[in-house]
PDB file of all heavy atoms in Angstrom:
ATOM      1  N   ASP A  33      10.245  16.783   2.068  1.00 97.00           N
ATOM      2  CA  ASP A  33      11.478  16.385   1.378  1.00 97.00           C
ATOM      3  C   ASP A  33      11.806  17.455   0.333  1.00 97.00           C
ATOM      4  O   ASP A  33      11.019  17.665  -0.610  1.00 97.00           O
ATOM      5  CB  ASP A  33      11.264  15.019   0.701  1.00 97.00           C
ATOM      6  CG  ASP A  33      12.501  14.535  -0.025  1.00 97.00           C
ATOM      7  OD1 ASP A  33      13.464  15.308  -0.201  1.00 97.00           O
ATOM      8  OD2 ASP A  33      12.504  13.352  -0.436  1.00 97.00           O
ATOM      9  N   PRO A  34      12.956  18.124   0.461  1.00 96.00           N
ATOM     10  CA  PRO A  34      13.289  19.177  -0.518  1.00 96.00           C
ATOM     11  C   PRO A  34      13.409  18.650  -1.945  1.00 96.00           C
ATOM     12  O   PRO A  34      13.299  19.418  -2.906  1.00 96.00           O
ATOM     13  CB  PRO A  34      14.626  19.731  -0.025  1.00 96.00           C
ATOM     14  CG  PRO A  34      15.059  18.896   1.124  1.00 96.00           C
ATOM     15  CD  PRO A  34      13.953  17.982   1.525  1.00 96.00           C
ATOM     16  N   GLY A  35      13.620  17.328  -2.092  1.00 97.00           N
ATOM     17  CA  GLY A  35      13.739  16.755  -3.436  1.00 97.00           C
ATOM     18  C   GLY A  35      12.397  16.467  -4.080  1.00 97.00           C
ATOM     19  O   GLY A  35      12.334  16.128  -5.263  1.00 97.00           O
ATOM     20  N   CYS A  36      11.323  16.614  -3.315  1.00 97.00           N
ATOM     21  CA  CYS A  36       9.993  16.291  -3.847  1.00 97.00           C
ATOM     22  C   CYS A  36       9.341  17.550  -4.408  1.00 97.00           C
ATOM     23  O   CYS A  36       9.104  18.521  -3.682  1.00 97.00           O
ATOM     24  CB  CYS A  36       9.136  15.679  -2.740  1.00 97.00           C
ATOM     25  SG  CYS A  36       7.500  15.198  -3.316  1.00 97.00           S
ATOM     26  N   ALA A  37       9.030  17.505  -5.686  1.00 97.00           N
ATOM     27  CA  ALA A  37       8.476  18.687  -6.348  1.00 97.00           C
ATOM     28  C   ALA A  37       6.971  18.806  -6.137  1.00 97.00           C
ATOM     29  O   ALA A  37       6.378  19.843  -6.446  1.00 97.00           O
ATOM     30  CB  ALA A  37       8.793  18.635  -7.840  1.00 97.00           C
ATOM     31  N   GLY A  38       6.332  17.775  -5.615  1.00 97.00           N
ATOM     32  CA  GLY A  38       4.893  17.872  -5.388  1.00 97.00           C
ATOM     33  C   GLY A  38       4.321  16.528  -4.977  1.00 97.00           C
ATOM     34  O   GLY A  38       4.798  15.486  -5.406  1.00 97.00           O
ATOM     35  N   VAL A  39       3.303  16.599  -4.099  1.00 98.00           N
ATOM     36  CA  VAL A  39       2.620  15.386  -3.644  1.00 98.00           C
ATOM     37  C   VAL A  39       1.151  15.511  -4.035  1.00 98.00           C
ATOM     38  O   VAL A  39       0.484  16.460  -3.629  1.00 98.00           O
ATOM     39  CB  VAL A  39       2.693  15.231  -2.101  1.00 98.00           C
ATOM     40  CG1 VAL A  39       2.109  13.887  -1.681  1.00 98.00           C
ATOM     41  CG2 VAL A  39       4.109  15.402  -1.597  1.00 98.00           C
ATOM     42  N   THR A  40       0.672  14.577  -4.820  1.00 98.00           N
ATOM     43  CA  THR A  40      -0.758  14.528  -5.151  1.00 98.00           C
ATOM     44  C   THR A  40      -1.400  13.502  -4.230  1.00 98.00           C
ATOM     45  O   THR A  40      -0.900  12.388  -4.094  1.00 98.00           O
ATOM     46  CB  THR A  40      -0.953  14.138  -6.629  1.00 98.00           C
ATOM     47  OG1 THR A  40      -0.275  15.103  -7.432  1.00 98.00           O
ATOM     48  CG2 THR A  40      -2.424  14.109  -7.000  1.00 98.00           C
ATOM     49  N   GLU A  41      -2.493  13.904  -3.571  1.00 98.00           N
ATOM     50  CA  GLU A  41      -3.165  13.028  -2.607  1.00 98.00           C
ATOM     51  C   GLU A  41      -4.514  12.590  -3.163  1.00 98.00           C
ATOM     52  O   GLU A  41      -5.260  13.413  -3.677  1.00 98.00           O
ATOM     53  CB  GLU A  41      -3.416  13.785  -1.294  1.00 98.00           C
ATOM     54  CG  GLU A  41      -2.165  14.312  -0.658  1.00 98.00           C
ATOM     55  CD  GLU A  41      -2.444  15.003   0.678  1.00 98.00           C
ATOM     56  OE1 GLU A  41      -3.501  14.730   1.281  1.00 98.00           O
ATOM     57  OE2 GLU A  41      -1.599  15.802   1.092  1.00 98.00           O
ATOM     58  N   LEU A  42      -4.787  11.322  -3.025  1.00 98.00           N
ATOM     59  CA  LEU A  42      -6.091  10.801  -3.441  1.00 98.00           C
ATOM     60  C   LEU A  42      -6.703   9.982  -2.305  1.00 98.00           C
ATOM     61  O   LEU A  42      -5.987   9.292  -1.572  1.00 98.00           O
ATOM     62  CB  LEU A  42      -5.936   9.888  -4.660  1.00 98.00           C
ATOM     63  CG  LEU A  42      -5.608  10.533  -5.993  1.00 98.00           C
ATOM     64  CD1 LEU A  42      -5.404   9.444  -7.054  1.00 98.00           C
ATOM     65  CD2 LEU A  42      -6.702  11.494  -6.439  1.00 98.00           C
ATOM     66  N   GLY A  43      -8.005  10.063  -2.165  1.00 98.00           N
ATOM     67  CA  GLY A  43      -8.722   9.283  -1.156  1.00 98.00           C
ATOM     68  C   GLY A  43     -10.204   9.372  -1.453  1.00 98.00           C
ATOM     69  O   GLY A  43     -10.610   9.920  -2.489  1.00 98.00           O
ATOM     70  N   ARG A  44     -10.999   8.866  -0.532  1.00 98.00           N
ATOM     71  CA  ARG A  44     -12.443   8.886  -0.788  1.00 98.00           C
ATOM     72  C   ARG A  44     -13.011  10.293  -0.734  1.00 98.00           C
ATOM     73  O   ARG A  44     -14.092  10.532  -1.259  1.00 98.00           O
ATOM     74  CB  ARG A  44     -13.161   7.996   0.234  1.00 98.00           C
ATOM     75  CG  ARG A  44     -12.977   6.540  -0.081  1.00 98.00           C
ATOM     76  CD  ARG A  44     -13.977   5.686   0.631  1.00 98.00           C
ATOM     77  NE  ARG A  44     -13.643   5.472   2.026  1.00 98.00           N
ATOM     78  CZ  ARG A  44     -14.184   4.531   2.776  1.00 98.00           C
ATOM     79  NH1 ARG A  44     -15.098   3.746   2.254  1.00 98.00           N
ATOM     80  NH2 ARG A  44     -13.829   4.376   4.028  1.00 98.00           N
ATOM     81  N   SER A  45     -12.267  11.244  -0.076  1.00 98.00           N
ATOM     82  CA  SER A  45     -12.806  12.606   0.072  1.00 98.00           C
ATOM     83  C   SER A  45     -12.097  13.636  -0.786  1.00 98.00           C
ATOM     84  O   SER A  45     -12.296  14.833  -0.600  1.00 98.00           O
ATOM     85  CB  SER A  45     -12.711  13.034   1.540  1.00 98.00           C
ATOM     86  OG  SER A  45     -13.342  12.078   2.353  1.00 98.00           O
ATOM     87  N   THR A  46     -11.212  13.216  -1.690  1.00 98.00           N
ATOM     88  CA  THR A  46     -10.512  14.185  -2.541  1.00 98.00           C
ATOM     89  C   THR A  46     -11.270  14.351  -3.861  1.00 98.00           C
ATOM     90  O   THR A  46     -12.188  13.604  -4.170  1.00 98.00           O
ATOM     91  CB  THR A  46      -9.076  13.704  -2.846  1.00 98.00           C
ATOM     92  OG1 THR A  46      -9.148  12.406  -3.454  1.00 98.00           O
ATOM     93  CG2 THR A  46      -8.226  13.634  -1.584  1.00 98.00           C
TER      94      THR A  46
END
Side-chain angles (χ1 to χ4, degrees):
D33 180 349
C36 182
V39 186
T40 301
E41 302 183 21
L42 288 176
R44 285 197 282 196
S45 306
T46 57

